[in-house]
């Protein structure tokens, strides 16, 4: 283990962590507003990667330009999923049912992708995916930096929507107390639909960056969702700022463990830290009091 | 369904008889092989439902116990030098016990949490065990392990496995039935309905939950062992399969979560369909679409599962004609008996 490989692990972890933060923010937003864990988030990210693949290979559209098409498309998809499945669940057994319903959505997506594209691994290609630059004694593809900047930009947009718009106030109100928000005139159904739309829309961008930095196939979603779930549960469900911190921390920790110990055991840090933290703080590190009380 | 005892006994006897003669009538290797897989999933769904259906804790990590059973049987058979044949079946209960032992610490940790967090911790355990199976030395890593293969003819091979699994299924069903009738079963149901109140009323919540969790892991471990022996090989991604967790939960949900017969029915339909599709079309992926779509349809149209929805229909049909009044005392007596 050299200082350079450790530095590479940290830089790599922070850059990748930014993208995970974006994807985790979407997951935790959906949870906060809907009280639903969207297991399909992983499959949606993979779907996003395939959409970018189709646009870039078959239509020759640049990966980042393609997002102008895929992000709105995924927003609509999210609203449709909310309308078709999530809205119809009854309040009393929502926890259990929502996990199973979104799991079912995930395997339908996985099935469709395997039938259409097969199960071979693909990776997104572009000039900035293949070319690298030199920093701190190692080489890094440009896509890591571009992906990180994209994630930061979209998180900024998310922040602006949530904290600077009237709609965002409704979302935050619904996060804190659904009934009270409804009583003061927030259209909770609309807030929920749009929040799920936003939560799904970010997976289009996350999927593109994931697909450019990793080889993926239709079942890559399991790996992603288990990491993202660990991140958002560790942070405390519903806490967006917590998800950002936890994503950066966990992904960096994973990369460092891969260098210091062994790459095959690196993902263990997610599950192990999840179990350790929850044994002492069942609500997660930044969980709100309301979530903890449930 | 609250059938009268003679009708219920008749129903059970018919089911057992069908279970007994099925492979003799449909004796082609294809159908008996499908039947063995179906029985394995019926056991798993039934056992899972005993814990998750009664307590309301949706565990999505029972693949841990399935995989542990599979590896226990394979490792013991290989290292203790078991000759291929009937002797290896003696290891099936051992596989169940090991799975039960592993369920104690994992259950202790997972059951500290509730709702979403509980579900996610069980999923996390599943991935930890899969990771361990891939990377520990003694599991053979991604190339997997081979238990000894018995030299039976194709027909007897499937038949032997069929009847062994059928015995495990009967035992599991009797176990869930006994649990349902017992005080312990009622305590579990009270936890599902209101855990705080159950605790207030003196139910030892933690102990009851953990016992049910461990009890439900044992049959899953046993069929895990049978599965490994039947296939003749075991790989980490099939022993610890996230789809297994989802499958048994879907089976229980489609049949009716928390009912005695529902999970059996769900497993019977779903697993035989899936195996049929795989055999017929050789497609291992297309069934995912059908699987997911079927589940969504059931959730949206019959949110409580097939059996409870049928029950509702029947009781509504029964309630309609007024001359059905005399039925009521019998039903009340039944209910009292059930509560007692």
């Amino acid at each position: 283990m050299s200082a350079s490989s450790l530095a590479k692990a940290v830089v790599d972890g922070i850059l990748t962590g930014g993208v995970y933060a974006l994807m985790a923010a979407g997951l935790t937003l959906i949870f906060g507003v809907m009280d639903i864990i969207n297991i399909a988030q992983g499959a949606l990210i993979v779907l996003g990667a395939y959409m970018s693949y189709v646009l870039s290979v078959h239509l020759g559209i640049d990966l980042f330009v393609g997002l102008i098409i895929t992000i709105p498309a995924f927003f609509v998809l999210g609203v449709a999923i909310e309308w078709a499945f999530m809205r119809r669940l009854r309040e009393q057994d929502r926890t259990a049912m929502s996990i199973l319903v979104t799991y079912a959505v995930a395997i339908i997506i996985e099935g469709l992708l395997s039938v259409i594209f097969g199960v071979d691994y693909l990776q997104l290609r572009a000039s900035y995916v293949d070319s690298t630059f030199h920093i701190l004694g190692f080489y890094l593809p440009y896509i890591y930096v571009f992906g990180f900047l994209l994630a930061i930009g979209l998180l900024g947009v998310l922040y602006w929507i949530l904290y600077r718009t009237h709609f965002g106030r409704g979302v935050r109100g619904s996060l804190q107390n659904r009934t009270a928000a409804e009583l003061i005139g927030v259209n909770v159904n609309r807030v929920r639909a749009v929040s799920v739309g936003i939560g799904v829309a970010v997976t289009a961008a996350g999927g593109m960056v994931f697909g450019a930095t990793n080889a993926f196939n239709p079942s890559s979603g399991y790996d992603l969702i288990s990491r993202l779930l660990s991140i958002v549960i560790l942070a405390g469900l519903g806490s967006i700022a917590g998800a950002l911190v936890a994503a950066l921390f966990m992904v960096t920790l994973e990369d460092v463990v891969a260098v210091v110990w062994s790459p095959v055991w690196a993902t263990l840090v997610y599950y192990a830290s999840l179990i350790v933290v929850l044994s002492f703080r069942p609500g997660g590190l930044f969980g709100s009091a309301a979530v903890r009380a449930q | 369904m609250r059938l009268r005892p003679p009708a219920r006994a008749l129903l059970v006897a018919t089911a057992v008889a069908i279970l007994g003669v099925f492979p003799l009538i449909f004796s082609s290797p294809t159908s008996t092989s499908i039947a063995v897989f179906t029985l394995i999933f019926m056991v798993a769904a039934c056992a899972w439902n005993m814990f998750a259906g009664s307590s309301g804790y949706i565990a999505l990590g029972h693949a841990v116990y399935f995989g542990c059973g599979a590896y226990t049987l394979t490792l013991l058979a290989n290292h203790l030098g078991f000759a291929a044949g009937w002797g290896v079946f003696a290891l099936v209960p051992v596989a169940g016990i090991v799975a039960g032992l592993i369920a104690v610490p994992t259950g202790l940790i997972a059951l500290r949490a509730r709702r979403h967090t509980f579900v996610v911790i069980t999923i996390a355990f599943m991935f930890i065990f899969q990771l361990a199976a891939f990377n520990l030395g003694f599991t053979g890593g991604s190339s997997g392990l081979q238990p000894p293969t018995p030299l039976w003819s194709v027909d007897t091979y499937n038949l032997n496995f069929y009847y062994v699994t059928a015995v495990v299924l009967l035992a599991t069903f009797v176990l869930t039935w006994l649990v349902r009738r017992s005080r312990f079963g009622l305590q579990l149901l009270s936890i599902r309905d209101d855990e705080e109140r159950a605790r207030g009323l003196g139910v030892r919540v933690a102990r009851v939950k953990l016992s049910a969790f461990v009890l439900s892991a044992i049959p899953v471990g046993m069929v895990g062992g049978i599965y490994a022996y039947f296939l003749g090989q075991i790989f980490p991604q099939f022993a610890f399969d996230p789809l297994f967790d989802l499958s048994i939960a879907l089976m229980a949900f489609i049949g009716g979560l928390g009912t005695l017969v529902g999970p059996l029915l769900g497993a019977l339909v779903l697993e035989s369909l899936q195996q049929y599709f795989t055999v017929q079309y050789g497609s291992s992926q297309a069934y995912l679409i059908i699987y997911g779509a079927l589940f969504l349809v059931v959730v949206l149209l019959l949110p409580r599962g097939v059996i409870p929805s049928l029950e509702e229909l029947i009781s509504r049909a029964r309630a309609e004609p007024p001359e059905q009044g005399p039925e009521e005392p019998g039903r009340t007596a039944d209910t009292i008996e059930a509560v007692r």
Side-chain angles (χ1 to χ4, degrees):
Chain A
M1 177 188 61
S2 64
S4 164
S5 59
L6 199 62
K8 180 174 172 17
V10 172
V11 171
D12 197 292
I14 290 171
L15 294 179
T16 321
V19 182
Y20 274 85
L22 177 65
M23 301 189 282
L27 188 60
T28 212
L29 177 69
I30 294 176
F31 172 81
V33 179
M34 296 291 290
D35 198 20
I36 273 178
I37 286 191
N38 182 21
I39 302 281
Q41 198 85 349
L44 286 164
I45 292 165
V46 177
L47 181 67
Y50 274 100
M51 290 303 108
S52 294
Y53 179 80
V54 169
L55 289 179
S56 71
V57 171
H58 296 290
L59 301 173
I61 298 174
D62 178 80
L63 296 178
F64 283 90
V65 176
L67 291 179
I68 297 171
I69 303 167
T70 52
I71 290 179
F74 270 57
F75 178 80
V76 174
L77 180 65
V79 172
I81 290 174
E82 196 278 337
W83 178 81
F85 308 122
M86 296 179 177
R87 182 169 293 190
R88 283 154 217 284
L89 298 175
R90 294 174 309 163
E91 205 64 53
Q92 69 221 55
D93 46 23
R94 187 164 248 219
T95 311
M97 293 310 260
S98 69
I99 287 175
L100 290 162
V101 165
T102 53
Y103 217 142
V105 171
I107 65 170
I108 291 178
I109 294 174
E110 185 193 344
L112 286 173
L113 289 177
S114 342
V115 168
I116 299 170
F117 297 99
V119 293
D120 294 334
Y121 279 88
L122 298 175
Q123 188 161 1
L124 300 178
R125 299 248 78 101
S127 57
Y128 41 82
V129 174
D130 298 321
S131 59
T132 57
F133 65 99
H134 189 253
I135 177 180
L136 296 173
F138 59 89
Y139 291 91
L140 202 66
Y142 283 103
I143 180 69
Y144 280 86
V145 178
F146 292 171
F148 182 74
L149 293 177
L150 174 74
I152 297 296
L154 287 176
L155 282 169
V157 172
L158 193 62
Y159 176 85
W160 178 77
I161 292 175
L162 286 179
Y163 289 90
R164 293 285 180 272
T165 64
H166 182 71
F167 168 77
R169 210 172 306 143
V171 173
R172 283 182 291 136
S174 316
L175 275 168
Q176 285 167 1
N177 190 330
R178 242 155 290 170
T179 323
E182 205 153 26
L183 281 173
I184 58 167
V186 174
N187 183 347
V188 172
N189 270 343
R190 206 181 108 233
V191 163
R192 287 179 168 186
V194 175
S195 301
V196 175
I198 293 172
V200 171
V202 298
T203 64
M208 188 278 283
V209 182
F210 176 77
T213 50
N214 296 274
F216 57 92
N217 80 348
S219 51
S220 303
Y222 291 112
D223 198 35
L224 274 167
I225 189 63
S226 52
R227 281 168 200 222
L228 290 177
L229 278 179
S230 302
I231 289 168
V232 297
I233 298 260
L234 205 62
L237 279 162
S239 161
I240 292 176
L244 305 187
V245 177
L248 282 175
F249 179 72
M250 291 308 296
V251 177
T252 310
L253 185 65
E254 181 193 359
D255 284 346
V256 170
V257 168
V259 170
V260 175
W261 185 18
S262 135
V264 296
W265 289 106
T267 42
L268 190 67
V269 298
Y270 285 94
Y271 314 125
S273 46
L274 182 68
I275 286 165
V276 169
V277 168
L278 291 180
S279 300
F280 296 102
R281 282 185 71 111
L285 292 176
F286 309 97
S288 65
V291 174
R292 217 170 289 148
Q294 278 165 359
Chain B
M1 243 171 293
R2 281 258 153 256
L3 296 174
R4 273 180 251 171
R8 227 184 303 168
L10 194 68
L11 206 65
V12 171
T14 320
V16 173
I18 293 175
L19 186 67
V21 299
F22 177 86
L24 305 177
I25 299 168
F26 299 92
S27 57
S28 79
T30 317
S31 51
T32 47
S33 147
I34 291 177
V36 173
F37 283 117
T38 306
L39 287 184
I40 286 174
F41 273 86
M42 285 169 84
V43 172
C46 186
W48 181 84
N49 177 62
M50 174 172 56
F51 167 74
S54 312
S55 69
Y57 278 76
I58 304 302
L60 287 184
H62 268 48
V64 168
Y65 314 113
F66 189 76
C68 286
Y71 275 100
T72 303
L73 182 128
T74 309
L75 286 169
L76 286 181
N78 287 345
H79 289 283
L80 300 181
F82 270 77
W86 280 97
V88 178
F89 283 125
L91 292 173
V92 168
V94 182
I97 290 166
V98 170
L101 288 178
I102 289 169
V104 175
T106 48
L108 263 179
I109 295 171
L111 287 165
R112 287 173 56 95
R114 286 192 199 173
R115 302 179 81 238
H116 306 91
T117 313
F118 170 79
V119 181
V120 172
I121 292 186
T122 58
I123 296 176
F125 272 124
M126 210 284 304
F127 281 103
I128 289 180
F129 276 79
Q130 193 192 59
L131 203 64
F134 266 118
N135 297 313
L136 286 175
F138 66 88
T139 59
S142 53
S143 49
L145 289 174
Q146 280 81 39
T149 313
L151 297 167
W152 297 321
S153 76
V154 181
D155 292 334
T156 43
Y157 189 92
N158 285 353
L159 270 187
N160 291 349
F161 276 98
Y162 179 90
Y163 284 113
V164 169
T165 321
V167 169
V168 176
L169 176 62
L170 284 179
T172 309
F173 184 73
V174 169
L175 178 69
T176 53
W177 181 67
L178 288 175
V179 165
R180 176 53 55 85
R181 282 175 55 92
S182 67
R183 231 174 104 81
F184 175 64
L186 279 179
Q187 290 175 331
L188 271 176
L189 289 179
S190 73
I191 290 173
R192 178 181 71 182
D193 292 340
D194 189 336
E195 186 163 342
E196 294 312 324
R197 192 168 296 174
R199 193 200 300 271
L201 289 172
V203 175
R204 288 165 185 266
V205 179
R207 190 184 294 184
V208 170
K209 285 191 294 187
L210 184 65
S211 319
F213 191 79
V214 172
L215 216 52
S216 82
I218 293 171
V220 176
M222 291 171 75
V223 286
I226 295 176
Y227 177 82
Y229 192 31
F230 183 59
L231 280 185
Q233 55 191 355
I234 192 74
F235 299 107
Q237 66 269 39
F238 299 125
F240 301 101
D241 185 359
L243 204 56
F244 173 87
D245 295 320
L246 182 64
S247 300
I248 57 175
L250 290 190
M251 287 162 182
F253 261 91
I254 286 179
L257 189 68
T259 61
L260 271 180
V261 188
L264 297 178
L265 204 70
L268 182 65
V269 173
L270 280 188
E271 184 58 21
S272 50
L273 259 185
Q274 183 199 319
Q275 290 292 336
Y276 178 77
F277 269 109
T278 313
V279 171
Q280 203 68 14
Y281 303 105
S283 155
S284 51
Q285 303 298 331
Y287 81 87
L288 285 176
I289 306 172
I290 299 160
Y291 221 72
L294 186 64
F295 180 66
L296 288 178
V297 168
V298 169
V299 168
L300 297 179
L301 300 182
L302 306 168
R304 294 169 53 206
V306 173
I307 295 267
S309 303
L310 271 182
E311 260 177 44
E312 224 165 72
L313 273 180
I314 289 172
S315 64
R316 216 180 297 156
R318 268 194 192 167
E320 264 166 32
E323 65 269 20
Q324 288 294 321
E327 282 277 351
E328 283 312 306
R331 292 174 84 189
T332 322
D334 252 4
T335 319
I336 290 169
E337 184 202 27
V339 171
R340 203 150 36 109

